[in-house]
């Protein structure tokens, strides 16, 4: 053998390895149908749906593990998402109403309670749970891929997106699903902003704030979380923002201040040195003033540490400097100015914003008007405005329901991610939105089951609703459709509306401002169901699909336009809508009105008699008795019918208006009233 041959082979192998390494990190293109950007809870939730549908996808994550945001935030390491394990119920769907951390899957035990049983769990538990989710479902996640540029390209085969990572490798996909969350600190531009510490970098050791006066900018959960951690050490804690505190138990919005963080409200109202104030941050100035203590130490003057003052733009002579004279401080002009004393530190706790910087102009969705431009603007079906094929999932999709529902949180966006997946399946794979075929006589039971158990409409109230497409004697039941996309129902779902119309089932709160702890806070009379204040089911009946224009002009605060008929199921203290008089009977009467038929159940003898005396017996008899279901097979049939006679049910078969309170019940809700029964005699 040639003695130089091993050297040649080694040289070739080294060249091959170097070439492979070079190709791996430069100008390599990987092609997928779906690219999911971000391995947080929203990205993994979509990854599960794509994996289950056997689609060609990849999840790209810049860090070394899933849910990396929760490795640092919240800074004081306590989640405020409820982890209620014990509900007294074994129904998995119902239990998800009170489990705010688990993701959806077909594995009944793949729940957050496997990593924590605390009601407010530690933040470290969430990445641990997400790692379990990835591992047990075998999701395709590539870690260490930091996408720095996203651009859209139009070709002969259609529009696609190119994602370029830190190694100049490209990932190309037809559909881009952005689930990066919100992690860029939100800033407000004011003089002296450089003197302010950020929530993302402050010390979390309470001892570092001993006997210090602290000003916190912001009044959200991160601000109160920070304040709560230092209340026992700081000399005083003041909080400043442009708006007053919004309490979640008053607004029903989970993103507002939660009770678990609100101890400073006590110390403020009980006058224990802490306080809240309002001012537009754009108009404030954080200034410093050097002062020297007149006392001498060892023959030298002792210089105090620099303290920070809050003043206003209008008092500053120079708008470019944050060094203030005595005359530029507010105490010089108003001797009882609330924040006239200096602070040892000022902390910014203003939340986070979407990272728009990675998008090329060809692929960047515009800023939404909601949330002060911190979020991208989306269509009602979560597709970026002017960016077809780019969908936004998770917290960043919250512009669709900002301050009105739970779409910015795990227990909300796990359902909107599922809705987006249903849409993708129809648009790109011709699979219609999943539906259940029901006989009209079964509709009432199905609706009651959904409003008593379903977690999606319960969490995403006024945003996702069940759509019932009426087909005469039967119907199609579509679950959790985006309500604001109702005018596009046919194109988005693959289901058409017939001449019989449709019913939409929505969970919603009352619109009246009330004392939510007062004696008259709840409505108990079913005849006043439309006055319900707390979460309750509402049914909207339309003869035709609402138009886009009607959706835009809907009444203020309404999730949908005015329908032909509307029905509120009275709120229930137990959120169990199963009471025969208060819940079930009024619902049946409303459905009879919409379907123009009798939905009552009858014994076989009654069906026998009605079939002999009416051309069209009730649906229950048509779909049961006349199909040889429920007929007693014995020689005593005649006698039993004779003995039964004309029961009250049969005598009343020509009307469904027996309850005289029914018209008075519907009238306040703005619904038309007519007999629900339609039989040909």
């Amino acid at each position: 053998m040639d003695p130089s041959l091993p050297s040649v082979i080694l040289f070739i192998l080294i060249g091959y390895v170097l070439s492979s390494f070079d190709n791996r990190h430069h100008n390599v293109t990987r092609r997928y149908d779906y690219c999911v950007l971000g391995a947080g809870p929203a990205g993994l939730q979509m990854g599960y749906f794509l994996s289950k549908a056997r689609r060609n996808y990849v999840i790209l994550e810049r860090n070394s593990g899933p849910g990396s945001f929760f490795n640092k935030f919240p800074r004081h390491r306590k989640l405020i998402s409820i982890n209620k394990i014990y509900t007294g119920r074994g129904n998995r769907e119902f239990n998800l109403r009170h489990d705010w951390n688990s993701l959806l899957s077909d594995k009944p035990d793949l729940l957050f309670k496997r990593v924590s049983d605390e009601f407010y769990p530690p933040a470290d538990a969430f990445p641990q749970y997400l790692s379990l989710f990835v591992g047990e479902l075998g999701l395709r996640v590539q870690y260490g891929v930091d996408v720095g540029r996203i651009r859209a390209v139009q070709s002969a085969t259609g529009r696609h997106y190119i994602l370029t990572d830190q190694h100049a490798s490209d990932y190309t996909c037809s559909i881009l699903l952005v689930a990066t969350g919100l992690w860029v600190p939100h800033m407000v531009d004011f003089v002296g902003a450089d003197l302010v510490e950020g929530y993302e970098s402050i010390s979390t050791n309470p001892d570092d704030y001993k006997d210090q006066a602290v000003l916190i900018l912001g009044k959200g959960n991160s601000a109160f979380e920070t304040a709560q951690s230092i209340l026992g050490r700081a000399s005083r804690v003041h909080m400043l923002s442009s708006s007053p505190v919004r309490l979640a138990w008053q607004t029903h919005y989970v993103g507002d201040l939660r009770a678990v963080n609100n101890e400073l409200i006590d110390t403020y109202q009980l006058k224990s040195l802490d306080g809240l104030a309002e001012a537009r941050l754009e108009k404030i100035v954080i200034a410093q003033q050097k002062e020297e203590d007149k006392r001498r130490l060892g023959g030298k003057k002792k210089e105090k540490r620099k303290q920070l003052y809050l003043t206003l733009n209008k008092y500053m002579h120079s708008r470019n400097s944050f060094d203030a004279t005595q005359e530029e401080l507010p105490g010089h002009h108003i001797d009882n100015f609330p924040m006239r004393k200096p602070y040892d530190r000022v902390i910014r706790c203003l939340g986070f914003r979407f990272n728009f910087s990675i998008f090329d102009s060809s692929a960047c969705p515009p800023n939404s008007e909601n949330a002060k431009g911190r979020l991208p603007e989306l269509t009602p079906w979560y597709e970026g405005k002017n960016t077809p094929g780019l969908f936004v999932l998770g917290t960043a999709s919250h512009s669709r329901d900002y301050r009105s529902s739970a779409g910015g949180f795990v227990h909300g966006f796990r359902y909107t991610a599922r809705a987006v997946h249903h849409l993708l399946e129809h648009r790109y794979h011709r699979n219609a939105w999943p539906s259940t075929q029901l006989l009209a006589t079964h509709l009432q039971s199905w609706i009651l089951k959904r409003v008593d158990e379903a977690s999606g409409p319960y969490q995403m109230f006024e945003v996702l609703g069940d759509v019932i497409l009426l087909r005469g004697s039967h119907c199609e039941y579509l679950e959790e459709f985006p309500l604001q996309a109702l005018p596009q129902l046919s194109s988005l779902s693959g289901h058409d509306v017939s001449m019989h119309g449709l019913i939409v089932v929505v969970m919603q709160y009352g619109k009246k401002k009330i004392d939510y702890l007062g004696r008259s806070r709840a409505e108990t009379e079913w005849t006043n169901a439309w006055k319900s204040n707390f979460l309750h089911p509402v049914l909207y009946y339309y003869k035709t699909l609402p138009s886009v224009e009607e959706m835009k002009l809907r009444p203020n605060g309404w999730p949908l336009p005015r329908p032909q008929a509307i029905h509120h199921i009275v709120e229930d203290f137990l959120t169990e809508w199963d009471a025969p008089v208060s819940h079930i009977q009024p619902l049946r009467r409303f459905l009879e009105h919409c379907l123009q038929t009798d939905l009552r159940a009858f014994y076989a003898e009654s069906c026998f008699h009605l079939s002999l005396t009416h051309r069209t017996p009730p649906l229950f008899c048509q779909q049961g008795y006349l199909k040889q279901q429920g007929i007693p097979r014995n020689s005593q049939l005649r006698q039993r019918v004779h003995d039964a006679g004309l029961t009250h049910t049969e005598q009343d078969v020509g009307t469904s208006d027996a309850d005289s309170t029914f018209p008075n019940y519907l009238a306040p809700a703005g619904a038309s009233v007519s007999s629900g029964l339609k039989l040909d005699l």
Side-chain angles (χ1 to χ4, degrees):
M1 184 177 70
D2 187 342
S4 65
L5 185 58
S7 300
V8 172
I9 294 174
L10 181 61
F11 180 82
I12 293 173
L13 288 174
I14 292 174
Y16 177 80
V17 170
L18 291 175
S19 175
S20 299
F21 182 84
D22 185 70
N23 288 335
R24 180 183 173 187
H25 294 282
H26 294 88
N27 301 321
V28 173
T29 300
R30 299 168 176 83
R31 301 183 184 277
Y32 302 91
D33 293 334
Y34 296 90
C35 287
V36 182
L37 190 58
L44 298 183
Q45 184 64 86
M46 179 55 74
Y48 162 73
F49 293 126
L50 294 173
S51 180
K52 187 176 180 181
R54 299 185 178 181
R55 302 302 172 203
N56 177 28
Y57 78 97
V58 67
I59 302 174
L60 304 176
E61 168 58 44
R62 63 176 181 160
N63 292 294
S64 58
S68 57
F69 178 86
F70 296 93
N71 290 328
K72 183 176 182 180
F73 300 105
R75 293 301 314 280
H76 298 89
R77 313 311 294 145
K78 180 70 73 173
L79 298 178
I80 58 174
S81 48
I82 290 172
N83 181 38
K84 190 173 181 64
I85 296 175
Y86 305 104
T87 66
R89 299 276 290 271
N91 185 295
R92 183 186 176 206
E93 180 67 14
F94 174 86
N95 288 342
L96 280 171
R97 290 182 169 187
H98 311 288
D99 174 353
W100 290 10
N101 299 283
S102 296
L103 298 181
L104 308 177
S105 76
D106 54 4
K107 285 181 169 285
D109 65 333
L110 192 51
L111 300 174
F112 187 81
K113 64 182 181 181
R114 284 176 55 180
V115 298
S116 176
D117 61 359
E118 295 185 42
F119 190 71
Y120 293 114
D124 292 332
F126 205 68
Q128 183 182 351
Y129 169 68
L130 296 181
S131 295
L132 278 178
F133 194 82
V134 171
E136 296 195 13
L137 295 173
L139 302 184
R140 304 170 196 162
V141 185
Q142 291 189 20
Y143 298 108
V145 180
D146 189 1
V147 173
R149 185 189 180 200
I150 299 173
R151 62 191 188 278
V153 177
Q154 192 72 36
S155 65
T157 57
R159 182 184 177 94
H160 59 275
Y161 291 89
I162 301 176
L163 289 67
T164 305
D165 69 8
Q166 73 273 34
H167 303 301
S169 293
D170 288 339
Y171 298 80
T172 301
C173 51
S174 302
I175 303 99
L176 174 59
L177 302 160
V178 180
T180 54
L182 307 180
W183 58 269
V184 179
H186 181 60
M187 308 282 191
V188 174
D189 186 23
F190 56 86
V191 177
D194 292 343
L195 300 175
V196 173
E197 302 172 67
Y199 170 75
E200 67 280 2
S201 59
I202 58 170
S203 168
T204 57
N205 182 357
D207 288 338
D208 290 341
Y209 300 85
K210 278 184 179 179
D211 204 29
Q212 292 185 7
V214 180
L215 173 63
I216 297 176
L217 304 181
K219 293 199 195 97
N221 279 296
S222 63
F224 272 89
E225 161 209 327
T226 301
Q228 189 145 309
S229 72
I230 63 175
L231 280 181
R233 298 291 191 276
S235 60
R236 69 178 186 273
V237 179
H238 291 169
M239 303 180 74
L240 180 74
S241 71
S242 59
S243 60
V245 173
R246 300 185 183 99
L247 301 170
W249 59 266
Q250 288 182 323
T251 65
H252 307 303
Y253 174 56
V254 68
D256 284 335
L257 178 61
R258 305 285 300 286
V260 69
N261 282 331
N262 70 7
E263 289 180 12
L264 185 136
I265 294 180
D266 268 10
T267 58
Y268 168 45
Q269 291 294 337
L270 299 176
K271 304 312 294 178
S272 187
L273 298 180
D274 306 317
L276 306 171
E278 287 74 46
R280 289 187 58 184
L281 298 187
E282 297 85 351
K283 293 186 175 182
I284 70 168
V285 174
I286 301 298
Q288 58 186 10
Q289 184 185 35
K290 291 183 179 179
E291 295 184 25
E292 290 186 345
D293 196 329
K294 294 181 180 179
R295 292 176 300 169
R296 294 180 175 274
L297 183 62
K300 296 183 179 179
K301 289 184 178 180
K302 178 185 176 183
E303 186 175 304
K304 288 183 178 180
R305 85 181 153 205
K306 293 179 182 178
Q307 291 187 304
L308 303 175
Y309 291 81
L310 184 145
T311 184
L312 303 176
N313 263 326
K314 62 183 180 181
Y315 297 141
M316 296 293 290
H317 301 146
S318 171
R319 299 296 174 87
N320 298 319
S321 172
F322 45 73
D323 286 324
T325 63
Q326 187 67 34
E327 291 75 20
E328 292 176 313
L329 299 180
H332 179 78
H333 303 271
I334 306 173
D335 62 358
N336 69 337
F337 186 77
M339 297 179 163
R340 59 186 179 272
K341 286 195 171 183
Y343 296 95
D344 295 292
R345 59 208 307 171
V346 180
I347 301 173
R348 167 183 39 78
C349 298
L350 301 176
F352 300 90
R353 62 186 298 115
F354 184 69
N355 182 20
F356 290 92
S357 66
I358 62 174
F359 294 90
D360 183 88
S361 59
S362 62
C364 188
N367 295 63
S368 170
E369 295 180 359
N370 287 334
K372 301 177 181 178
R374 292 186 294 169
L375 303 171
E377 186 175 1
L378 308 176
T379 67
W381 49 94
Y382 300 93
E383 192 169 16
K385 281 284 182 73
N386 308 320
T387 55
L390 185 154
F391 294 82
V392 179
L393 310 173
T395 305
S397 69
H398 196 29
S399 61
R400 288 306 317 169
D401 64 313
Y402 183 66
R403 297 198 50 76
S404 62
S405 196
F409 312 91
V410 174
H411 65 286
F413 63 62
R414 61 191 179 192
Y415 302 103
T416 57
R418 181 162 63 186
V420 170
H421 180 254
H422 290 331
L423 183 150
L424 297 174
E425 284 292 299
H426 173 59
R427 180 186 289 185
Y428 298 106
H429 307 287
R430 299 184 180 179
N431 294 324
W433 196 284
S435 65
T436 302
Q437 300 287 329
L438 296 172
L439 296 174
T441 50
H442 296 170
L443 180 56
Q444 173 184 289
S445 298
W446 197 266
I447 292 174
L448 289 170
K449 176 180 173 64
R450 289 286 296 169
V451 299
D452 280 348
E453 298 177 359
S455 56
Y458 188 90
Q459 301 289 18
M460 288 303 298
F461 55 89
E462 303 185 19
V463 175
L464 298 180
D466 292 353
V467 179
I468 305 164
L469 303 176
L470 304 178
R471 311 287 193 205
S473 62
H474 69 284
C475 60
E476 288 183 82
Y477 200 106
L478 282 64
E479 298 178 359
E480 299 169 21
F481 189 83
L483 297 178
Q484 301 308 306
L486 194 60
Q488 294 85 11
L489 174 72
S490 298
S491 61
L492 296 177
S493 72
H495 297 274
D496 294 323
V497 177
S498 75
M499 59 181 290
H500 298 281
L502 68 154
I503 296 173
V504 185
V505 185
V506 185
M507 300 293 290
Q508 64 184 62
Y509 283 93
K511 304 304 177 186
K512 232 178 15 174
K513 296 295 182 183
I514 64 167
D515 178 359
Y516 287 102
L517 295 179
R519 287 184 178 274
S520 59
R521 62 186 177 272
E523 182 59 58
T524 57
E525 292 295 326
W526 68 270
T527 52
N528 291 326
W530 60 284
K531 295 181 179 179
S532 296
N533 293 310
F534 290 90
L535 195 66
H536 64 286
V538 184
L539 284 75
Y540 294 74
Y541 168 66
Y542 298 95
K543 293 181 180 178
T544 59
L545 268 180
S547 66
V548 174
E549 188 65 19
E550 288 173 329
M551 187 64 74
K552 290 179 180 178
L553 299 177
R554 68 187 184 275
N556 184 41
W558 284 43
L560 290 169
R562 291 188 184 276
Q564 274 68 49
I566 189 170
H567 175 69
H568 291 252
I569 302 180
V570 68
E571 60 189 336
D572 186 75
F573 185 74
L574 301 175
T575 62
E576 296 177 1
W577 290 275
D578 56 4
V581 174
S582 296
H583 303 138
I584 298 176
Q585 178 177 290
L587 173 62
R588 176 179 62 79
R589 299 293 303 279
F590 175 77
L591 294 177
E592 288 178 336
H593 166 70
C594 297
L595 275 67
Q596 287 294 292
T597 192
D598 195 329
L599 294 178
R600 289 174 292 178
F602 295 88
Y603 288 109
E605 292 87 344
S606 299
C607 284
F608 176 74
H609 182 84
L610 293 170
S611 299
L612 295 177
T613 57
H614 296 76
R615 292 181 184 176
T616 307
L619 276 178
F620 182 87
C621 297
Q622 294 179 42
Q623 297 170 353
Y625 176 83
L626 295 181
K627 291 186 177 180
Q628 300 183 355
Q629 297 179 24
I631 302 177
R633 294 173 179 263
N634 58 61
S635 60
Q636 298 180 348
L637 175 59
R638 271 178 200 277
Q639 187 61 40
R640 293 179 67 182
V641 172
H642 180 269
D643 293 343
L646 291 176
T647 64
H648 174 74
T649 299
E650 294 170 356
Q651 292 172 344
D652 188 46
V653 77
T655 177
S656 67
D657 206 23
D659 189 341
S660 61
T661 64
F662 184 59
N664 294 329
Y665 161 67
L666 274 185
S672 57
V673 180
S674 66
S675 172
L677 181 62
K678 187 177 182 182
L679 297 180
D680 294 328
L681 300 176

